[in-house]
Amino acid sequence: MKASPQSVQRDRLHATVSAALESRILGGELKIGDKLDSESAIAKEFGVSTRAVREAIQTLETKGLVQRRHGDRTTVVREDVGEFLGTLAVSIRQQLFSDPAYLEELMAARRMIETEVLEILCATPGPVAAAVTDALDRMRLARDAGDFSAFVDADAAFHLALVHSARNRILSIVYDNFANLIGEVIQLTSRVPTKSLEAAYDEHAEIYECLRSGDEIGAKSLMRAQIDNSARYLRIAIDKAHEEETGNA
C-alpha cells in the first residue's frame, strides 16, 4: 500500500525535528538531566505540528537519548555518543567472528579515521604528542625483549594516542570503541606466524618520522598499508581460530 503524500510529509517533518534534537544532545548543547522544551514550544520552533514533535521524541526515546515521564517534560538521559557507540560495538563484536565483511568494514572505518587524524596532525605545528612518542618507545622495548603481548599493548596505545592527540572529541569517542574491539582481535594474531616484531616496529617508526617531519602524504600512505596488512593478519588469525574450534567440536 502506497503511503499518502500527507504521511510522507509528516515523516519528513518528524525526522527533521528528531535529527536536530539528536544533534543538540550528542553535541553537548543539551546535557544529561536537561529538560526538552514543551511539545508546543518545539512545534513552534520548527514550524511543525505537535504530532510530528511527539513522533520525533519517540524516535529519540527508542535510541535511548531521552526519557518521557507522565506529567513532566522529556528528559535527556544520555550524556554523549559514547554509550550509543558502545552498544554498536557489542553488535559488531557478535558478528565479527562469523562474517568476514564485518572485519573488513571495521578496518576500513579505522583506516578512514586514522588517515584523517594524520592529516590534522601534519597540518598542526608543534612536536609529536608525548603519548605517541611514549607508545613507540614501549614498542621498541617490547621488540628488544621479544615480548609479544607488551608489543601488542604498545601498538594499540600508539594508534590510540595518535587519535587522541588530534583533540577531536567525536573522533576520539568513535575510535575508543573501535580500539577496544580491535585490541581483542589483535590478540588472536599470537595463534599464527606473523611478521617479526622488528618489521612491525619499523612500520610504526616510519609513520612517526613522517609525522614528525610533517610529511602528510608519506604518513597516510604508510598508515593505509599498515592497517591493510593488519587486516590480512587478523583474517588469518580468525580463520585459524575457527579451524581450532571446529576441530575441537
Side-chain angles (χ1 to χ4, degrees), residues 164-195:
H164 283 191
S165 65
R167 300 186 181 280
N168 183 303
R169 287 175 294 177
I170 301 302
L171 281 179
S172 292
I173 291 170
V174 171
Y175 192 85
D176 283 351
N177 283 280
F178 285 156
N180 291 335
L181 190 54
I182 292 165
E184 291 178 9
V185 182
I186 284 176
Q187 296 301 325
L188 284 173
T189 59
S190 62
R191 296 172 180 256
V192 296
T194 63
K195 61 192 167 191

mmCIF file of all heavy atoms in Angstrom, residues 164-195:
data_model
loop_
_atom_site.group_PDB
_atom_site.id
_atom_site.type_symbol
_atom_site.label_atom_id
_atom_site.label_comp_id
_atom_site.label_asym_id
_atom_site.label_seq_id
_atom_site.Cartn_x
_atom_site.Cartn_y
_atom_site.Cartn_z
ATOM 1 N N HIS A 164 43.841 10.555 19.810
ATOM 2 C CA HIS A 164 43.552 11.489 20.898
ATOM 3 C C HIS A 164 44.324 12.794 20.742
ATOM 4 O O HIS A 164 43.830 13.855 21.131
ATOM 5 C CB HIS A 164 43.881 10.845 22.243
ATOM 6 C CG HIS A 164 42.851 9.858 22.685
ATOM 7 N ND1 HIS A 164 42.812 9.324 23.951
ATOM 8 C CD2 HIS A 164 41.800 9.289 22.031
ATOM 9 C CE1 HIS A 164 41.799 8.477 24.065
ATOM 10 N NE2 HIS A 164 41.182 8.441 22.902
ATOM 11 N N SER A 165 45.517 12.724 20.166
ATOM 12 C CA SER A 165 46.327 13.941 20.040
ATOM 13 C C SER A 165 45.761 14.909 19.004
ATOM 14 O O SER A 165 46.143 16.076 18.974
ATOM 15 C CB SER A 165 47.780 13.587 19.690
ATOM 16 O OG SER A 165 47.873 12.992 18.407
ATOM 17 N N ALA A 166 44.807 14.442 18.175
ATOM 18 C CA ALA A 166 44.147 15.349 17.223
ATOM 19 C C ALA A 166 43.159 16.260 17.933
ATOM 20 O O ALA A 166 42.685 17.242 17.362
ATOM 21 C CB ALA A 166 43.438 14.551 16.139
ATOM 22 N N ARG A 167 42.826 15.921 19.174
ATOM 23 C CA ARG A 167 41.942 16.736 20.015
ATOM 24 C C ARG A 167 40.572 16.965 19.375
ATOM 25 O O ARG A 167 39.998 18.059 19.443
ATOM 26 C CB ARG A 167 42.599 18.082 20.363
ATOM 27 C CG ARG A 167 43.896 17.932 21.127
ATOM 28 C CD ARG A 167 44.457 19.263 21.598
ATOM 29 N NE ARG A 167 45.702 19.094 22.294
ATOM 30 C CZ ARG A 167 45.829 18.716 23.566
ATOM 31 N NH1 ARG A 167 44.738 18.455 24.271
ATOM 32 N NH2 ARG A 167 47.011 18.587 24.129
ATOM 33 N N ASN A 168 40.061 15.926 18.743
ATOM 34 C CA ASN A 168 38.698 15.947 18.220
ATOM 35 C C ASN A 168 37.897 14.955 19.038
ATOM 36 O O ASN A 168 38.105 13.745 18.943
ATOM 37 C CB ASN A 168 38.684 15.570 16.733
ATOM 38 C CG ASN A 168 37.301 15.652 16.117
ATOM 39 O OD1 ASN A 168 36.373 15.009 16.580
ATOM 40 N ND2 ASN A 168 37.172 16.439 15.056
ATOM 41 N N ARG A 169 36.990 15.462 19.862
ATOM 42 C CA ARG A 169 36.306 14.601 20.825
ATOM 43 C C ARG A 169 35.458 13.522 20.156
ATOM 44 O O ARG A 169 35.391 12.393 20.642
ATOM 45 C CB ARG A 169 35.426 15.450 21.755
ATOM 46 C CG ARG A 169 36.224 16.266 22.772
ATOM 47 C CD ARG A 169 35.328 17.175 23.570
ATOM 48 N NE ARG A 169 34.727 18.204 22.739
ATOM 49 C CZ ARG A 169 33.842 19.103 23.180
ATOM 50 N NH1 ARG A 169 33.462 19.079 24.435
ATOM 51 N NH2 ARG A 169 33.352 20.007 22.364
ATOM 52 N N ILE A 170 34.826 13.858 19.050
ATOM 53 C CA ILE A 170 33.978 12.875 18.381
ATOM 54 C C ILE A 170 34.829 11.749 17.814
ATOM 55 O O ILE A 170 34.518 10.557 17.983
ATOM 56 C CB ILE A 170 33.140 13.534 17.275
ATOM 57 C CG1 ILE A 170 32.250 14.632 17.869
ATOM 58 C CG2 ILE A 170 32.286 12.488 16.564
ATOM 59 C CD1 ILE A 170 31.308 14.163 18.948
ATOM 60 N N LEU A 171 35.919 12.096 17.120
ATOM 61 C CA LEU A 171 36.805 11.064 16.590
ATOM 62 C C LEU A 171 37.346 10.189 17.711
ATOM 63 O O LEU A 171 37.454 8.968 17.566
ATOM 64 C CB LEU A 171 37.969 11.701 15.832
ATOM 65 C CG LEU A 171 37.707 12.191 14.411
ATOM 66 C CD1 LEU A 171 38.971 12.810 13.824
ATOM 67 C CD2 LEU A 171 37.207 11.070 13.520
ATOM 68 N N SER A 172 37.685 10.805 18.838
ATOM 69 C CA SER A 172 38.235 10.042 19.965
ATOM 70 C C SER A 172 37.221 9.057 20.513
ATOM 71 O O SER A 172 37.550 7.898 20.802
ATOM 72 C CB SER A 172 38.687 10.994 21.083
ATOM 73 O OG SER A 172 39.804 11.759 20.668
ATOM 74 N N ILE A 173 35.968 9.493 20.666
ATOM 75 C CA ILE A 173 34.931 8.611 21.198
ATOM 76 C C ILE A 173 34.683 7.446 20.249
ATOM 77 O O ILE A 173 34.589 6.283 20.664
ATOM 78 C CB ILE A 173 33.626 9.394 21.437
ATOM 79 C CG1 ILE A 173 33.802 10.376 22.604
ATOM 80 C CG2 ILE A 173 32.465 8.441 21.745
ATOM 81 C CD1 ILE A 173 32.660 11.355 22.753
ATOM 82 N N VAL A 174 34.573 7.764 18.951
ATOM 83 C CA VAL A 174 34.355 6.717 17.956
ATOM 84 C C VAL A 174 35.505 5.718 17.988
ATOM 85 O O VAL A 174 35.302 4.503 18.040
ATOM 86 C CB VAL A 174 34.219 7.327 16.546
ATOM 87 C CG1 VAL A 174 34.210 6.237 15.489
ATOM 88 C CG2 VAL A 174 32.938 8.155 16.438
ATOM 89 N N TYR A 175 36.733 6.233 17.980
ATOM 90 C CA TYR A 175 37.892 5.343 17.907
ATOM 91 C C TYR A 175 38.066 4.537 19.187
ATOM 92 O O TYR A 175 38.530 3.399 19.136
ATOM 93 C CB TYR A 175 39.159 6.133 17.599
ATOM 94 C CG TYR A 175 40.304 5.219 17.239
ATOM 95 C CD1 TYR A 175 40.463 4.758 15.939
ATOM 96 C CD2 TYR A 175 41.207 4.778 18.200
ATOM 97 C CE1 TYR A 175 41.480 3.892 15.598
ATOM 98 C CE2 TYR A 175 42.232 3.906 17.872
ATOM 99 C CZ TYR A 175 42.363 3.476 16.572
ATOM 100 O OH TYR A 175 43.376 2.600 16.237
ATOM 101 N N ASP A 176 37.730 5.114 20.328
ATOM 102 C CA ASP A 176 37.849 4.371 21.587
ATOM 103 C C ASP A 176 37.071 3.060 21.513
ATOM 104 O O ASP A 176 37.533 2.019 21.988
ATOM 105 C CB ASP A 176 37.336 5.205 22.762
ATOM 106 C CG ASP A 176 38.335 6.266 23.192
ATOM 107 O OD1 ASP A 176 39.477 6.243 22.703
ATOM 108 O OD2 ASP A 176 37.959 7.138 24.000
ATOM 109 N N ASN A 177 35.887 3.103 20.930
ATOM 110 C CA ASN A 177 35.093 1.886 20.796
ATOM 111 C C ASN A 177 35.705 0.926 19.792
ATOM 112 O O ASN A 177 35.753 -0.277 20.003
ATOM 113 C CB ASN A 177 33.659 2.243 20.389
ATOM 114 C CG ASN A 177 32.850 2.766 21.550
ATOM 115 O OD1 ASN A 177 32.355 2.001 22.357
ATOM 116 N ND2 ASN A 177 32.756 4.073 21.658
ATOM 117 N N PHE A 178 36.217 1.457 18.673
ATOM 118 C CA PHE A 178 36.904 0.615 17.710
ATOM 119 C C PHE A 178 38.154 0.003 18.342
ATOM 120 O O PHE A 178 38.453 -1.164 18.135
ATOM 121 C CB PHE A 178 37.326 1.431 16.492
ATOM 122 C CG PHE A 178 36.195 1.774 15.559
ATOM 123 C CD1 PHE A 178 36.289 2.860 14.722
ATOM 124 C CD2 PHE A 178 35.041 1.011 15.516
ATOM 125 C CE1 PHE A 178 35.260 3.184 13.850
ATOM 126 C CE2 PHE A 178 34.005 1.317 14.654
ATOM 127 C CZ PHE A 178 34.116 2.412 13.815
ATOM 128 N N ALA A 179 38.888 0.799 19.100
ATOM 129 C CA ALA A 179 40.159 0.347 19.662
ATOM 130 C C ALA A 179 39.972 -0.844 20.587
ATOM 131 O O ALA A 179 40.756 -1.793 20.566
ATOM 132 C CB ALA A 179 40.840 1.502 20.404
ATOM 133 N N ASN A 180 38.921 -0.799 21.413
ATOM 134 C CA ASN A 180 38.653 -1.925 22.304
ATOM 135 C C ASN A 180 38.380 -3.193 21.507
ATOM 136 O O ASN A 180 38.863 -4.276 21.846
ATOM 137 C CB ASN A 180 37.445 -1.609 23.193
ATOM 138 C CG ASN A 180 37.733 -0.517 24.202
ATOM 139 O OD1 ASN A 180 38.882 -0.296 24.568
ATOM 140 N ND2 ASN A 180 36.703 0.172 24.642
ATOM 141 N N LEU A 181 37.611 -3.045 20.447
ATOM 142 C CA LEU A 181 37.275 -4.193 19.615
ATOM 143 C C LEU A 181 38.494 -4.708 18.859
ATOM 144 O O LEU A 181 38.762 -5.905 18.814
ATOM 145 C CB LEU A 181 36.184 -3.781 18.623
ATOM 146 C CG LEU A 181 35.509 -4.865 17.801
ATOM 147 C CD1 LEU A 181 34.944 -5.950 18.698
ATOM 148 C CD2 LEU A 181 34.407 -4.249 16.956
ATOM 149 N N ILE A 182 39.259 -3.795 18.283
ATOM 150 C CA ILE A 182 40.466 -4.169 17.547
ATOM 151 C C ILE A 182 41.463 -4.860 18.475
ATOM 152 O O ILE A 182 42.090 -5.858 18.115
ATOM 153 C CB ILE A 182 41.114 -2.935 16.900
ATOM 154 C CG1 ILE A 182 40.205 -2.404 15.772
ATOM 155 C CG2 ILE A 182 42.499 -3.258 16.341
ATOM 156 C CD1 ILE A 182 40.562 -1.015 15.319
ATOM 157 N N GLY A 183 41.597 -4.342 19.698
ATOM 158 C CA GLY A 183 42.539 -4.932 20.653
ATOM 159 C C GLY A 183 42.219 -6.383 20.946
ATOM 160 O O GLY A 183 43.123 -7.224 21.050
ATOM 161 N N GLU A 184 40.923 -6.693 21.062
ATOM 162 C CA GLU A 184 40.534 -8.078 21.322
ATOM 163 C C GLU A 184 40.938 -8.989 20.164
ATOM 164 O O GLU A 184 41.419 -10.102 20.364
ATOM 165 C CB GLU A 184 39.015 -8.158 21.523
ATOM 166 C CG GLU A 184 38.525 -7.493 22.804
ATOM 167 C CD GLU A 184 37.019 -7.559 22.927
ATOM 168 O OE1 GLU A 184 36.393 -8.271 22.112
ATOM 169 O OE2 GLU A 184 36.475 -6.919 23.834
ATOM 170 N N VAL A 185 40.722 -8.492 18.949
ATOM 171 C CA VAL A 185 41.013 -9.317 17.775
ATOM 172 C C VAL A 185 42.521 -9.452 17.553
ATOM 173 O O VAL A 185 43.009 -10.505 17.149
ATOM 174 C CB VAL A 185 40.331 -8.724 16.527
ATOM 175 C CG1 VAL A 185 40.576 -9.598 15.314
ATOM 176 C CG2 VAL A 185 38.837 -8.585 16.764
ATOM 177 N N ILE A 186 43.265 -8.394 17.844
ATOM 178 C CA ILE A 186 44.718 -8.431 17.653
ATOM 179 C C ILE A 186 45.349 -9.564 18.459
ATOM 180 O O ILE A 186 46.325 -10.185 18.016
ATOM 181 C CB ILE A 186 45.353 -7.075 18.035
ATOM 182 C CG1 ILE A 186 45.083 -6.050 16.924
ATOM 183 C CG2 ILE A 186 46.860 -7.203 18.253
ATOM 184 C CD1 ILE A 186 45.585 -4.654 17.249
ATOM 185 N N GLN A 187 44.792 -9.838 19.636
ATOM 186 C CA GLN A 187 45.361 -10.900 20.460
ATOM 187 C C GLN A 187 45.364 -12.251 19.747
ATOM 188 O O GLN A 187 46.179 -13.121 20.035
ATOM 189 C CB GLN A 187 44.578 -11.012 21.776
ATOM 190 C CG GLN A 187 44.662 -9.772 22.664
ATOM 191 C CD GLN A 187 46.086 -9.425 23.042
ATOM 192 O OE1 GLN A 187 46.917 -10.310 23.234
ATOM 193 N NE2 GLN A 187 46.378 -8.137 23.160
ATOM 194 N N LEU A 188 44.464 -12.405 18.781
ATOM 195 C CA LEU A 188 44.398 -13.669 18.045
ATOM 196 C C LEU A 188 45.617 -13.890 17.160
ATOM 197 O O LEU A 188 45.918 -15.009 16.758
ATOM 198 C CB LEU A 188 43.138 -13.704 17.167
ATOM 199 C CG LEU A 188 41.817 -13.961 17.885
ATOM 200 C CD1 LEU A 188 40.660 -13.805 16.911
ATOM 201 C CD2 LEU A 188 41.808 -15.356 18.488
ATOM 202 N N THR A 189 46.328 -12.809 16.831
ATOM 203 C CA THR A 189 47.469 -12.966 15.929
ATOM 204 C C THR A 189 48.574 -13.806 16.553
ATOM 205 O O THR A 189 49.461 -14.292 15.854
ATOM 206 C CB THR A 189 48.043 -11.596 15.524
ATOM 207 O OG1 THR A 189 48.451 -10.876 16.692
ATOM 208 C CG2 THR A 189 47.024 -10.790 14.750
ATOM 209 N N SER A 190 48.528 -13.982 17.877
ATOM 210 C CA SER A 190 49.530 -14.828 18.520
ATOM 211 C C SER A 190 49.353 -16.295 18.134
ATOM 212 O O SER A 190 50.244 -17.116 18.357
ATOM 213 C CB SER A 190 49.449 -14.688 20.040
ATOM 214 O OG SER A 190 48.182 -15.109 20.514
ATOM 215 N N ARG A 191 48.207 -16.635 17.519
ATOM 216 C CA ARG A 191 47.930 -18.026 17.146
ATOM 217 C C ARG A 191 48.600 -18.413 15.835
ATOM 218 O O ARG A 191 48.655 -19.585 15.497
ATOM 219 C CB ARG A 191 46.418 -18.234 16.987
ATOM 220 C CG ARG A 191 45.604 -18.042 18.259
ATOM 221 C CD ARG A 191 44.120 -18.085 17.902
ATOM 222 N NE ARG A 191 43.284 -17.913 19.079
ATOM 223 C CZ ARG A 191 42.630 -18.896 19.673
ATOM 224 N NH1 ARG A 191 42.740 -20.125 19.212
ATOM 225 N NH2 ARG A 191 41.878 -18.668 20.714
ATOM 226 N N VAL A 192 49.034 -17.422 15.058
ATOM 227 C CA VAL A 192 49.568 -17.730 13.727
ATOM 228 C C VAL A 192 50.914 -17.036 13.529
ATOM 229 O O VAL A 192 51.215 -16.037 14.158
ATOM 230 C CB VAL A 192 48.601 -17.265 12.618
ATOM 231 C CG1 VAL A 192 47.305 -18.022 12.693
ATOM 232 C CG2 VAL A 192 48.358 -15.769 12.700
ATOM 233 N N PRO A 193 51.747 -17.582 12.642
ATOM 234 C CA PRO A 193 53.004 -16.898 12.329
ATOM 235 C C PRO A 193 52.709 -15.547 11.688
ATOM 236 O O PRO A 193 51.870 -15.441 10.801
ATOM 237 C CB PRO A 193 53.682 -17.836 11.323
ATOM 238 C CG PRO A 193 53.015 -19.156 11.514
ATOM 239 C CD PRO A 193 51.616 -18.855 11.922
ATOM 240 N N THR A 194 53.350 -14.503 12.151
ATOM 241 C CA THR A 194 53.167 -13.168 11.582
ATOM 242 C C THR A 194 54.535 -12.569 11.320
ATOM 243 O O THR A 194 55.565 -13.180 11.563
ATOM 244 C CB THR A 194 52.395 -12.259 12.546
ATOM 245 O OG1 THR A 194 53.164 -12.093 13.754
ATOM 246 C CG2 THR A 194 51.047 -12.857 12.909
ATOM 247 N N LYS A 195 54.526 -11.342 10.827
ATOM 248 C CA LYS A 195 55.794 -10.654 10.612
ATOM 249 C C LYS A 195 56.511 -10.485 11.950
ATOM 250 O O LYS A 195 55.903 -10.535 13.017
ATOM 251 C CB LYS A 195 55.531 -9.297 9.982
ATOM 252 C CG LYS A 195 54.680 -8.380 10.838
ATOM 253 C CD LYS A 195 54.221 -7.193 10.039
ATOM 254 C CE LYS A 195 53.119 -6.442 10.786
ATOM 255 N NZ LYS A 195 52.470 -5.446 9.953
#
